[in-house]
Amino acid sequence: MGTRAEDAAIGHGRAPSMPSSPAPSEMTVNIDNTLPAGRPAGIALLVLAAASLGLLANHPAAANSTFADVLRGEAASRGVDALVHGGFIAVLGAQLVCLAVLSMRIGPQRIASLSGWLLTAIGAAFLMLSMLLDGLVTPAIAARFVDVVERQGEARTLFVLLGTVIGFLMPIGLLFQAAGMASWSAALVRGDGLLHGTGLFGFAAAALVIVGIAATAGRVAHVLIGAIVVVAAWYALVGLALTLRRL
């Protein structure tokens, strides 16, 4: 229903007046202001990359000859294991938050950005479960059976089961992380300077991780450690780009 003024205008043969549109300047929105700031996320990524390398350097080494020694070693290093692996879980979670900022600044409508975050999140879930089993569950089982010699056969069975599961979780998680890194790199490589270099490094690093894990079936510890270092280096480059406000 129109207003009386509009009805009167139509009755006198005049077109009703249309509501005025706002000036173009009034409709302009600075989209960048609606995005989360990249600098804090970039600084956080730099700190988290350094933290992951520090945790990796302090990972307890296993050098035991008998299963009884393994149990004693795992039980003795229970606190350090919890700190290192729990720290990795916290780092992975915090990285996902920072990488969500990266995806939003690249543009969530871009398939490379969205798939990059999803693939990395899936990889982080596998890695978190691996860290949980390796650093918290395994030492807890060792502490429970270390002084019960007659039941250490049960502990051995549990250790074999957990070791088998972890042997799949860790490589799969790193493969998903590498795929996410390659996906983001497809968007970053279109930039110039640091962004372009980060994209190229991401492609090379992802290929290195995938080939290394595939060639060794994820069974060589040094390859897995190298993959963690390479991924951390790429996160550091992304953090630097965000810190310098290159995207």
Side-chain angles (χ1 to χ4, degrees):
M1 298 292 291
T3 64
R4 292 183 179 180
E6 290 174 340
D7 292 341
I10 294 173
H12 287 83
R14 299 193 308 271
S17 58
M18 301 298 294
S20 59
S21 298
S25 59
E26 295 179 89
M27 299 179 65
T28 301
V29 178
N30 188 352
I31 298 176
D32 189 63
N33 288 339
T34 68
L35 297 176
R39 188 177 177 84
I43 295 173
L45 277 176
L46 288 170
V47 173
L48 291 169
S52 65
L53 294 178
L55 290 170
L56 185 63
N58 287 282
H59 190 284
N64 303 297
S65 55
T66 66
F67 183 67
D69 291 334
V70 171
L71 287 179
R72 282 191 288 270
E74 288 284 351
S77 62
R78 188 176 180 182
V80 177
D81 268 319
L83 179 63
V84 170
H85 293 84
F88 265 117
I89 292 172
V91 165
L92 288 166
Q95 283 175 337
L96 284 179
V97 176
C98 297
L99 293 171
V101 174
L102 171 65
S103 284
M104 293 176 71
R105 294 194 67 83
I106 291 176
Q109 72 278 8
R110 292 188 180 181
I111 187 64
S113 172
L114 179 60
S115 62
W117 192 89
L118 288 175
L119 289 168
T120 302
I122 294 171
F126 275 93
L127 292 175
M128 286 178 177
L129 183 55
S130 171
M131 299 295 174
L132 176 67
L133 296 178
D134 190 21
L136 298 174
V137 176
T138 299
I141 291 174
R144 183 168 184 174
F145 288 95
V146 65
D147 294 324
V148 188
V149 179
E150 65 275 10
R151 295 187 61 189
Q152 287 185 359
E154 299 175 31
R156 183 187 295 273
T157 302
L158 291 173
F159 265 60
V160 170
L161 175 62
L162 290 173
T164 303
V165 174
I166 293 168
F168 284 102
L169 290 174
M170 177 71 75
I172 291 173
L174 289 170
L175 286 174
F176 271 106
Q177 293 256 307
M181 188 164 51
S183 184
W184 264 312
S185 296
L188 294 176
V189 78
R190 299 177 183 178
D192 53 10
L194 180 58
L195 290 181
H196 185 73
T198 302
L200 291 178
F201 179 85
F203 280 133
L208 187 63
V209 170
I210 292 171
V211 170
I213 292 177
T216 60
R219 302 301 182 201
V220 179
H222 292 299
V223 172
L224 299 178
I225 293 172
I228 294 173
V229 172
V230 167
V231 172
W234 186 80
Y235 285 158
L237 284 176
V238 172
L240 184 61
L242 284 170
T243 301
L244 298 177
R245 298 174 179 171
R246 298 299 173 86
L247 60 92

